[in-house]
Amino acid sequence: MISVFVYGTLLAGESNHHVAAPFLLSVQPGTIFGRLYDVGLYPALALTEGTHKVIGEWFEVTEEGLQAMDILEGYNGPGASNEYERVWVSDVNGLREGWVYIWETISGLKEINSSSWIAYSAQKNK
C-alpha cells in the first residue's frame, strides 16, 4: 500500500479521479501545510511551514496506481525533467505521511485564497 495526498483534479468527483480510481484501496480526508496556486485547469501546491493549510484526501493505492498518477502529473523520477515533483509529506496532525506532488516554480502563478481546490474551482466557474 502506498499513501498519496491529493488536493486537485485527482479528488473524488474531479476530472482526473478516473486515473487513480481503479487502484484505490482506501480514501481518507486529510490536511497538509501548503498553499495552492492556479495553473488553469488544475492547481499547483507549494509546501509551507505550519501556517497555511491545504485540504485534500489521502489515497492508499497500489504500485500501479502510483505509476498512473506519476504519468498524469508528469513525474519521470528523481533528477529528471518533471512537471511536478513527488515528495514525502506529513499530515498536519502528524498521524499520516506519504507522497504528494508539488510545483517547484510558483513564480508568476496566481495564489488561491482557499485551502480547498474544490471550493475554489466551484467559485471560479460560477
Side-chain angles (χ1 to χ4, degrees):
M1 235 178 6
I2 300 168
S3 292
V4 181
F5 182 81
V6 300
Y7 53 86
T9 63
L10 282 166
L11 293 165
E14 293 296 301
S15 61
N16 287 316
H17 183 71
H18 69 277
V19 172
F23 310 103
L24 280 175
L25 304 172
S26 73
V27 178
Q28 298 294 322
T31 305
I32 64 170
F33 291 112
R35 284 191 175 271
L36 293 175
Y37 293 83
D38 190 335
V39 185
L41 297 176
Y42 53 90
L45 170 71
L47 298 178
T48 61
E49 294 288 328
T51 53
H52 301 288
K53 296 176 183 175
V54 173
I55 298 167
E57 296 173 333
W58 285 102
F59 284 7
E60 296 290 338
V61 296
T62 63
E63 180 67 37
E64 295 82 8
L66 183 64
Q67 291 170 2
M69 289 188 286
D70 281 350
I71 291 167
L72 173 70
E73 303 295 3
Y75 179 73
N76 300 304
S81 177
N82 297 310
E83 182 172 4
Y84 282 86
E85 292 297 326
R86 181 164 39 92
V87 300
W88 199 255
V89 68
S90 294
D91 202 84
V92 296
N93 62 19
L95 299 177
R96 292 196 70 125
E97 56 183 28
W99 296 110
V100 69
Y101 296 94
I102 64 166
W103 196 277
E104 290 205 314
T105 308
I106 55 170
S107 178
L109 294 178
K110 178 186 175 202
E111 186 176 331
I112 294 173
N113 291 324
S114 173
S115 55
S116 166
W117 168 252
I118 291 175
Y120 171 78
S121 61
Q123 184 65 30
K124 177 181 168 180
N125 294 324
K126 276 189 176 180

